[in-house]
Amino acid sequence: MTVSRVLRNRGDVSEATRERVLEAARKLGYVPNKIAGALASQRVNLVAVIIPSLSNMVFPEVMTGISDTLEDTGLQPVVGVTNYSPEREESVLYEMLSWRPSGVIIAGLEHTEAAQAMLAQAGIPIVEIMDIDGTPVDSAVGISHRRAGRQMAEAIIAAGYRNIAFLGTMMPYDHRARKRLEGFEEALAKAGLALVDREFYSGGSALLKGREMTEAVLTRSPQVDFLYYSNDMIGAGGLLYCLANNIDVPGRIGLAGFNGVELLDGLPRKLATMDACRLEIGRRAAEIIAGKRQNGVIGGEVIELFPTLQPGDTIRKPVL
Amino acid sequence: MTVSRVLRNRGDVSEATRERVLEAARKLGYVPNKIAGALASQRVNLVAVIIPSLSNMVFPEVMTGISDTLEDTGLQPVVGVTNYSPEREESVLYEMLSWRPSGVIIAGLEHTEAAQAMLAQAGIPIVEIMDIDGTPVDSAVGISHRRAGRQMAEAIIAAGYRNIAFLGTMMPYDHRARKRLEGFEEALAKAGLALVDREFYSGGSALLKGREMTEAVLTRSPQVDFLYYSNDMIGAGGLLYCLANNIDVPGRIGLAGFNGVELLDGLPRKLATMDACRLEIGRRAAEIIAGKRQNGVIGGEVIELFPTLQPGDTIRKPVL
DNA sequence: ATACGATATGTTAGCGGTAACAGCAGTAAT
DNA sequence: ATTACTGCTGTTACCGCTAACATATCGTAT
């Protein structure tokens, strides 16, 4: 018992005994068994983080925000990856919940019915991140992708472009990309426009795909004067393609992506984009988990963040 | 007890009872408590994976290899990130070991003394990945970065370049980048050459840093005819800089990076690089953990993988 | 009818810690 | 001297599950 007290810094132990215990622990290479500890105390310092992928730049940055904020709370993030598969999400969630974490941070608002039920039943703070276009189980931190799509469309139209094409992922479960496209088309419609062309891809090097898709669209639909990409990586590929082929950007063709990835800073020309507040999302989500744990508040809150449009060098200045 | 048997698919249970149990579990939203289960059975289906960073492209791909292989073994990877800090590595390791995982996959061979001791004492399979230039605690899967550096130097020299500069990270704890540089300089020395210039960076957008550093070096040392980058990202930045400034690549200046990241495929010209066998490393490491668990073998094995040099378009053809 | 093996279910004792409380010495206040 | 309190250490009963063993049930060969 005294050992337990020393190792957890809880309760009074005389300095002499504390020393003896620590010395012995060090000598024996003793590592306390958190499994037993957690079972006895009904407390687990783990936070489940469930995200679709690690291979694009977006989630690692969210992770950074989460880790930074959790750093000095004693909480530890544990990552599960779903590869954009709802079934896999469900099973990862089940697996993680069975370790009784202190909270769950999960990407998106769309989950299987079973997953929804598990989240609702879990009795711990749940934060759904990235997206707020929908109804969260508990709390949510994110941006409105629909609005983001609309905003970009409005900026593009204001700049005088009229023949607009969309290039993006095919993934049926990338709900956020879908919502951006919906918002985008909605704003086009309001201006009496419609997409002139669209092109989808899946898998492979995004940068390369961006080049290929851009070539395909420009060949097929020469009248196109703007390319809206569902993410910055393929947008960057498109930009490199245009530069390599001496296409006047943003005069003849305008370009825009989404995410505000750091990578763009290194490109010869800055791609228009909207930053997705990734770091901030991670931070705020972690704060909710850490905070709730303290004061036991259960009411869900929705935090909407507002991405800023970065016009870069690939959109003409608006015609007034 | 019967419930336990049903939920773990272990032992004989009549079909009727099994159905009843599953139905009840579903209706109640019952999620078994793995903490208690693990304590009782002394078995934990978790594999600790400890890596320095998620934000460059290399570790996510290793993770993919690990996840894929572990997928159908019932084992689950749990990721911890150290940010290249030995102290943080030590504490992350301690934290993870206290959950009694079935194995540890940890990047690099360099750890604090305490971390080394913990790994040695843990009594579970340990796989140190990425690097094999050193003495592993147990098993290791990786490449020789020293050899990789040497190989690249030899190829560069064979191609006729003589005034070679190095551009890389400043991070004192990126041992693998350091070893590559050591091997590189060693091979230069053997050919009677030495680095003409060197430039280091830390933090920020690697692509942008690549541009800036390249400009700095070329301005400061105009005689330089080859730039060896410690990673592909800054190499790509350098390449874009050269192309933008109409520098003849690979005639006037040759370029090479390291890692073989997918990103390069999308660039207007292919950067010379060496792929680091990331996917394969993840796979083999996971196999060792999964396999050992089965047959209880404890002997450590060292698996050296051999990266292939991809000359791309940024090294002149060797002069024979 | 009896014995037997196979299948199905129940019982008991932990796993390694921690919460809660009990005990005990020493010191200060009454 | 008695009481009250503080600081330190020890005791006990779990936490929720599973290994190991015990028991019950049933069809079937003897």
Side-chain angles (χ1 to χ4, degrees):
Chain A
M1 196 58 228
T2 300
V3 171
S4 171
R5 276 193 270 258
V6 170
L7 264 33
R8 289 182 300 147
N9 279 317
R10 210 175 298 282
D12 300 316
V13 181
S14 74
E15 195 49 38
T17 326
R18 145 173 271 102
E19 283 306 329
R20 279 204 305 143
V21 169
L22 288 177
E23 173 56 23
R26 190 162 338 119
K27 196 146 54 192
L28 296 171
Y30 174 74
V31 177
N33 187 329
K34 285 234 174 186
I35 298 175
L39 184 61
S41 68
Q42 307 284 36
R43 261 185 272 107
V44 178
N45 69 335
L46 263 26
V47 177
V49 180
I50 300 178
I51 55 184
S53 161
L54 282 173
S55 43
N56 52 47
M57 316 252 69
V58 11
F59 294 105
E61 197 163 340
V62 176
M63 280 308 304
T64 304
I66 294 174
S67 306
D68 288 356
T69 303
L70 253 33
E71 186 110 2
D72 37 37
T73 63
L75 258 26
Q76 259 241 326
V78 176
V79 188
V81 177
T82 69
N83 291 317
Y84 287 100
S85 148
E87 293 75 33
R88 194 138 179 72
E89 178 182 90
E90 188 181 312
S91 85
V92 167
L93 177 63
Y94 184 79
E95 194 71 18
M96 297 209 144
L97 283 183
S98 70
W99 285 99
R100 301 290 187 271
S102 291
V104 176
I105 296 177
I106 184 167
L109 296 163
E110 287 78 15
H111 316 288
T112 66
E113 211 170 312
Q116 298 262 14
M118 282 191 264
L119 288 170
Q121 293 252 335
I124 51 177
I126 310 291
V127 186
E128 290 168 279
I129 57 171
M130 308 315 286
D131 188 8
I132 58 144
D133 290 327
T135 314
V137 170
D138 181 13
S139 299
V141 181
I143 67 170
S144 164
H145 288 263
R146 223 167 246 132
R147 177 210 298 274
R150 269 204 311 273
Q151 257 181 276
M152 187 55 91
E154 285 158 7
I156 292 168
I157 295 167
Y161 297 101
R162 290 295 176 271
N163 298 299
I164 303 165
F166 175 84
L167 299 84
T169 50
M170 186 131 54
M171 276 179 283
Y173 294 114
D174 189 345
H175 298 283
R176 293 174 287 288
R178 192 201 74 220
K179 289 174 184 175
R180 286 197 297 278
L181 177 55
E182 284 171 10
F184 192 80
E185 291 198 86
E186 191 185 295
L188 288 189
K190 194 168 284 177
L193 297 172
L195 283 178
V196 169
D197 197 354
R198 55 184 77 200
E199 176 88 10
F200 297 94
Y201 80 105
S202 61
S205 156
L207 204 60
L208 180 58
K209 287 289 174 185
R211 299 175 73 93
E212 295 172 354
M213 291 162 74
T214 303
E215 176 160 31
V217 168
L218 293 183
T219 308
R220 186 168 60 215
S221 312
Q223 79 278 24
V224 159
D225 63 2
F226 200 96
L227 301 170
Y228 179 46
Y229 296 88
S230 79
N231 68 63
D232 281 344
M233 258 333 226
I234 56 174
L239 175 58
L240 289 175
Y241 173 84
C242 290
L243 295 179
N245 291 275
N246 290 313
I247 296 171
D248 171 20
V249 175
R252 161 80 186 81
I253 302 257
L255 305 170
F258 181 84
N259 263 340
V261 303
E262 208 178 44
L263 173 92
L264 298 185
D265 295 340
L267 255 30
R269 200 164 308 182
K270 280 197 100 175
L271 182 68
T273 190
M274 281 176 93
D275 102 287
C277 310
R278 303 187 297 286
L279 211 65
E280 184 69 8
I281 286 177
R283 268 205 274 267
R284 303 294 285 270
E287 275 167 18
I288 292 181
I289 299 288
K292 273 198 180 152
R293 206 183 52 129
Q294 282 165 16
N295 52 37
V297 177
I298 295 290
E301 52 180 319
V302 174
I303 300 183
E304 175 169 6
L305 301 177
F306 297 92
T308 52
L309 192 145
Q310 299 161 357
D313 314 315
T314 62
I315 292 189
R316 288 197 294 259
K317 296 288 161 266
V319 288
L320 302 177
Chain B
M1 197 55 225
T2 299
V3 171
S4 171
R5 277 193 268 259
V6 171
L7 264 33
R8 289 182 300 147
N9 279 317
R10 213 173 296 282
D12 299 316
V13 182
S14 75
E15 194 50 38
T17 327
R18 147 173 268 102
E19 283 306 328
R20 280 204 303 144
V21 168
L22 289 176
E23 173 57 23
R26 191 162 337 120
K27 195 146 57 191
L28 295 171
Y30 173 74
V31 177
N33 187 328
K34 285 233 176 189
I35 298 174
L39 184 60
S41 68
Q42 307 283 38
R43 263 185 270 106
V44 178
N45 69 335
L46 264 26
V47 176
V49 180
I50 301 178
I51 55 184
S53 160
L54 280 173
S55 43
N56 52 46
M57 315 253 71
V58 11
F59 293 105
E61 197 163 339
V62 176
M63 279 309 305
T64 305
I66 293 174
S67 306
D68 287 356
T69 303
L70 253 32
E71 185 112 1
D72 36 38
T73 63
L75 259 26
Q76 259 240 327
V78 176
V79 188
V81 177
T82 69
N83 291 318
Y84 288 98
S85 148
E87 292 76 32
R88 195 140 177 69
E89 179 182 90
E90 186 180 314
S91 86
V92 168
L93 177 64
Y94 183 79
E95 193 71 19
M96 296 211 145
L97 283 183
S98 71
W99 286 98
R100 301 288 187 270
S102 291
V104 176
I105 297 177
I106 185 167
L109 295 163
E110 287 77 14
H111 317 289
T112 66
E113 209 169 317
Q116 297 263 15
M118 282 191 263
L119 288 170
Q121 293 253 335
I124 51 177
I126 310 290
V127 185
E128 291 169 279
I129 58 170
M130 310 313 287
D131 189 6
I132 58 144
D133 290 326
T135 313
V137 170
D138 180 14
S139 299
V141 181
I143 67 172
S144 164
H145 287 264
R146 224 168 245 131
R147 175 210 298 274
R150 269 203 313 273
Q151 256 180 276
M152 186 56 90
E154 285 158 7
I156 292 168
I157 295 167
Y161 297 100
R162 290 295 176 270
N163 297 298
I164 302 166
F166 176 84
L167 300 85
T169 51
M170 185 130 56
M171 276 180 282
Y173 294 114
D174 189 342
H175 298 283
R176 294 174 287 288
R178 192 200 73 222
K179 289 175 185 175
R180 285 197 297 278
L181 177 54
E182 283 170 12
F184 191 80
E185 292 197 88
E186 192 185 296
L188 288 189
K190 193 167 288 176
L193 297 173
L195 282 178
V196 169
D197 196 356
R198 55 184 75 203
E199 175 88 10
F200 297 92
Y201 80 105
S202 62
S205 158
L207 204 59
L208 180 57
K209 287 290 174 186
R211 299 175 73 94
E212 295 172 355
M213 291 161 73
T214 303
E215 177 160 31
V217 168
L218 292 183
T219 307
R220 185 169 59 215
S221 312
Q223 80 279 27
V224 159
D225 65 1
F226 200 97
L227 301 170
Y228 179 46
Y229 296 89
S230 79
N231 68 62
D232 282 345
M233 253 341 220
I234 55 175
L239 174 58
L240 289 175
Y241 173 83
C242 290
L243 294 180
N245 290 276
N246 291 314
I247 296 171
D248 172 19
V249 175
R252 161 81 187 80
I253 301 256
L255 305 170
F258 181 84
N259 264 340
V261 303
E262 206 179 45
L263 174 91
L264 298 185
D265 295 339
L267 256 30
R269 201 164 307 184
K270 280 196 99 176
L271 183 68
T273 190
M274 282 177 91
D275 102 285
C277 310
R278 303 187 296 288
L279 211 65
E280 186 69 7
I281 286 177
R283 268 204 275 265
R284 302 295 284 270
E287 276 167 18
I288 292 181
I289 299 288
K292 274 198 180 153
R293 206 182 52 129
Q294 282 166 19
N295 52 38
V297 177
I298 296 292
E301 53 180 322
V302 174
I303 299 182
E304 175 169 7
L305 301 176
F306 297 93
T308 53
L309 192 145
Q310 298 161 358
D313 314 316
T314 62
I315 291 190
R316 287 196 294 260
K317 296 286 162 265
V319 288
L320 300 179

